[in-house]
Structures are given as structure tokens and as C-alpha cells.
Amino acid sequence: MPRETPQRGGRASLIGALVALVVAIAVAAVSVFAGDGLISALGLSGAQKASWRAGTTPPVPPPVLAAMDSQAPMPSQAGLSAALAPLLSAQALGPHITASVVDVTTGQSIFSSEQDAAMTPASTTKIVTAAAVLATRGPAYRIPTRVVAGAQPGEVVIVGGGDPTLSVFPTPYYPGAARIDDLAKQVKQALGDTAPTKVIYDVSLFSGSGTGPGWDPDATTGGSGAVITPLMTEGGRTKATKYSDRYAQPDVQAAQAFAKALGVPTSAVAAGTAPAGANELGKVESAPLARIVEFMLQDSDNVLADELARQVALAKNQPASFEGASAAMKDVLEGLGLPVTGYGLVDGSGFSRNDRLSPALLTGILAMAARSDRSDLHTIFSGLPVAAYSGTLATRYLKANEGSSAAGLVRAKTGTLTGVNSLSGIVVDADGRTLAFAFMADQTTNGGQAVIALDRVAAALAACGCR
């Protein structure tokens, strides 16, 4: 299974807060979930690193994007076609590539090529998942993990709520995440003189398979994903590294970790369900959803994406399964008035080769997220990686022949599967006009060269006044 790694080769006016968001690199908003690569990229001091990792407010990075001007001239369709069409025909992109460029201020399509076509999106799917979960749960929502009393004295039931960031490592992979040991302390205090004797884990919140349709055989073992379950720690990781191996049964491991924190032997851990009306003994909550969404986009975290898709299903009273999440997200998109022609997602991560969506849907989401009445979606912008600076774009746009002129100017979500390369995001062009774009190629034969070719297209868009 290919990994989404850094590699080389609205129709309403924009509000002031969004202008600031586009002008500055808003990685301050991801302070809770900053990874080592992003920390290093910022050049923080030792004390600043410690402050960042502790979840306190980090130093605000300098502006790198040109100021956005809604009065700036809009590129013409002919101008964009002259600038982009030759680059989109690059051999590295293969025989089939689709494109959509939208003016963010007006929502007007100003360049397209099969923009409604159903394409395999790879990880650009995560833009759709981000929009759907933010629109339903809201950016301030926190995912709970609860423990209730079991049927017998000393029995406790840990009830999975779908928080994949629940922490057990001394240094959590997702800083700011709720901790298993804090939950255990609450339970011990609530039990008082009654010693815990058995841990039951309840994973009934989710249904269906834990692996998605169309996933490659190594999807849950190759370090890029895990079995999707409502109870897990550290995204299922065995170590606090991005591409760590994952537990084959993340729910069992999480229950055993909780038992250990309680002083209960792992032999006294069993699957079950919480008794109706059981007394709550403890509860912890995840970081705000906005932070989780930001990290998902920055790091292209597949487990976070599929867990968040389940939250959309729960919010829409659908089964919390791959099928339920897919139906729920489509329902949300239709309710928002977004174009769902070509929609055929089967997961929330883009891990599946069966996924389909259109470039027009991606640019439609990005334009909507810029509207003054959709502040709930603004997190999408602060989560997008920045060219040559952060996330999965940190090591791209570094060379002159690979689009380095657009370093710091392109904010975009990458997408990579074998034979599939995509890029979707926003850019402020040379005239100060903010544009949303999506470029998707589904018949590439050299992934490294395809990445460079896409970066050149986005760089041309950034450099273009194109009138």
C-alpha cells in the first residue's frame, strides 16, 4: 500500500479572519497535534518545542502568503487555459487527468477539464471527510470514551466512542489526547473500596467490517492504517512513530492497556456490552474536533479519517460502518448544495481504490469553506499542508524545476496511490486573487514524476495573473 508521505520527484464575501488565515501559515492552530517534522520546520528553540508539545500556544510563524484582495482581477478562462493546459498534458500525468479551478470569492468556475468526472481521489478524499464531519459535529466537538459499572461488583465496562487518539504512550503520538491512565484514575476513585476485578470492552458503537472495501491487503499492517474500531489507542500504533506497525486487534489492546492501568490482569478482559442505564464511573474526551481534522489533513492520517467518517454517520443516525459513513457523507454534501455528481466514496480516507469523487466537489468544498456563513469549515484551510513548509508538502516545491517559486504559496491536500496522483487546495495568484483547485490523474506510471508535474501546475497557477 503506497504511503501518503512527503516526497520529491463561496459565493459570499470573505471575512477578515479568513484573510488572516490565508495570509499567514496557521500552524498555530495545530499546536495540539504538531509532529516532529513540523516542529523542526518551524525552527523552534528547545523551550519552544517543549511548549508546543505540551499543547500551549506556540509562537506565531511569519506570513508567507501574499495578502488576499477580493478586488484583485480574476483570471480569464483563456488565460488559465494557456498557462495550465500544456502542463496538464505532461507525459508524467498519463493519458487521463481532470481539473477544476474556482474563484474563491465568487465561486465561479474559471477553468475545467472533466470537472464532474468520477475519479479515484486517493487522499484528497480527506477534504470531503473534513467538510462532512465539521458540518455535522462542529469544530468544538470532543469524542468521549466512557467507563460504566458492569453487571457484577468489580466489573467495569469501557465503552468505545470512536476516539482513535486515546493515549497510552508516555509521550503520546497525538499530543493533547485523552489518556487511558487518567480514565483509570477516575474509575478507581468512583469505585472507592470496591476493587476492580474484570474489564469488559464494548465496541458496539460501530458495525460491519473494520477494513474498507478496495483496501490493499497490507492496509492494516503496512503502517499506513489500522482496523477501524471505536476503541483504540494511538491510532492502533505499537510505537509512537507515524508508520509504526499497528495492532491486529486495536480494541483488545486498548482494553488490556486500560486493565493494566486499573491493576486488573489481562486474563480478566472480555468483550461485551454495557448494561442499560449503568452508572458512569469515568469519562475522558478527545481534543476538539478541529484539532483532529487539522492533523488528519496535515499528516494524511488514514485512521483519523475513517474514524471521523464514522462520526458523520453517527451524527446523521446512520450505521457507523463504511457503508453508513459513505451514505451519511453524501447526505451532508447534498444538504450543503455541493455537486455530488460522480460521488462514490466507500471510505473516509481515500485508502480504497474503489473510491470516486469529482474535482468539482473538491473545489466546491474549498470555495464554500471560505464563505462568511461557514466558519465551521474554516479549519480546512488551517489544516492544509503548505508547499515546502509543512505536512505532506514539506519536502515538495524545493527545487526550481519542481515548482519552488510557489513555496509557501500553495496550500493543498495531496493524494497518492499506485497509478493515482492528485492535488487539491488553494493558492493566491500573482494578482492577489484566491483560487481553489483540484487536479486528478488516475493513469500515472511514475509516481515521483507525476508529483513533480502536479506541483508545476499548481506553481503556474500561483504565478499566473492569466488575463
Side-chain angles (χ1 to χ4, degrees):
M1 166 62 65
R3 295 172 175 176
E4 189 71 20
T5 57
Q7 56 182 305
R8 292 188 186 279
R11 291 174 170 78
S13 61
L14 300 173
I15 62 173
L18 181 59
V19 174
L21 184 63
V22 176
V23 172
I25 292 193
V27 286
V30 296
S31 60
V32 176
F33 285 134
D36 288 341
L38 183 52
I39 291 171
S40 297
L42 288 172
L44 305 183
S45 68
Q48 288 172 324
K49 289 179 183 179
S51 173
W52 185 294
R53 287 195 176 94
T56 55
T57 302
V60 178
V64 294
L65 295 181
M68 184 170 61
D69 181 4
S70 62
Q71 301 303 312
M74 185 168 62
S76 70
Q77 294 186 11
L80 283 178
S81 182
L84 303 184
L87 296 172
L88 289 169
S89 65
Q91 184 176 357
L93 293 176
H96 188 219
I97 181 165
T98 60
S100 175
V101 179
V102 169
D103 176 59
V104 167
T105 302
T106 65
Q108 178 182 339
S109 174
I110 51 178
F111 177 81
S112 67
S113 176
E114 295 185 64
Q115 65 174 1
D116 295 319
M119 299 286 286
T120 304
S123 281
T124 53
T125 295
K126 294 180 176 73
I127 293 175
V128 179
T129 303
V133 75
L134 289 168
T136 52
R137 287 300 200 194
Y141 182 79
R142 297 173 183 262
I143 305 170
T145 301
R146 301 167 55 244
V147 176
V148 301
Q152 303 298 323
E155 289 184 355
V156 299
V157 185
I158 182 168
V159 183
D163 177 12
T165 71
L166 193 62
S167 175
V168 69
F169 295 150
T171 301
Y173 182 76
Y174 303 101
R179 295 194 58 86
I180 279 280
D181 49 7
D182 289 341
L183 186 57
K185 289 176 183 178
Q186 292 180 36
V187 172
K188 288 179 180 179
Q189 184 176 4
L191 288 174
D193 295 333
T194 302
T197 59
K198 184 176 183 178
V199 171
I200 298 169
Y201 61 97
D202 183 343
V203 292
S204 60
L205 186 67
F206 290 1
S207 60
S209 175
T211 58
W215 284 11
D216 284 358
D218 65 346
T220 63
T221 60
S224 294
V227 175
I228 303 303
T229 174
L231 179 64
M232 67 166 64
T233 62
E234 314 287 359
R237 290 172 175 81
T238 62
K239 298 179 182 178
T241 57
K242 180 175 182 177
Y243 292 119
S244 163
D245 289 338
R246 312 298 172 110
Y247 289 103
Q249 296 178 290
D251 46 5
V252 175
Q253 177 274 328
Q256 291 176 343
F258 178 62
K260 181 179 179 180
L262 279 179
V264 174
T266 57
S267 59
V269 173
T273 55
N279 183 44
E280 185 174 280
L281 303 176
K283 183 176 75 171
V284 292
E285 297 180 326
S286 72
L289 200 63
R291 304 289 82 81
I292 300 177
V293 166
E294 285 171 336
F295 188 82
M296 173 192 68
L297 293 171
Q298 279 281 325
D299 215 43
S300 199
D301 192 304
N302 294 306
V303 174
L304 293 188
D306 281 311
E307 294 277 348
L308 292 177
R310 294 292 208 285
Q311 291 297 320
V312 181
L314 292 169
K316 299 297 289 184
N317 297 314
Q318 294 274 5
S321 62
F322 281 103
E323 297 78 11
S326 173
M329 290 202 296
K330 184 177 182 182
D331 184 45
V332 172
L333 298 172
E334 289 177 326
L336 293 173
L338 289 162
V340 295
T341 301
Y343 178 93
L345 293 181
V346 300
D347 64 19
S349 59
F351 228 178
S352 176
R353 298 181 182 278
N354 298 344
D355 282 323
R356 297 292 185 272
L357 59 81
S358 70
L361 176 57
L362 294 172
T363 52
I365 288 171
L366 293 169
M368 176 171 283
R371 287 173 20 183
S372 59
D373 62 336
R374 299 305 316 199
S375 60
D376 54 334
L377 303 182
H378 290 175
T379 293
I380 293 172
F381 293 116
S382 56
L384 291 175
V386 178
Y389 194 88
S390 65
T392 55
L393 290 184
T395 58
R396 291 166 59 165
Y397 297 87
L398 297 179
K399 295 182 178 179
N401 66 341
E402 297 179 5
S404 65
S405 61
L409 300 179
V410 173
R411 303 181 67 93
K413 182 70 200 73
T414 55
T416 306
L417 291 170
T418 302
V420 176
N421 294 89
S422 54
L423 189 67
S424 181
I426 60 169
V427 64
V428 178
D429 75 5
D431 287 334
R433 196 80 181 187
T434 305
L435 312 173
F437 65 86
F439 307 120
M440 307 171 73
D442 61 0
Q443 297 179 37
T444 63
T445 57
N446 185 318
Q449 290 302 308
V451 162
I452 294 172
L454 285 177
D455 290 348
R456 288 172 175 165
V457 180
L461 191 60
C464 186
C466 297
R467 297 188 301 278

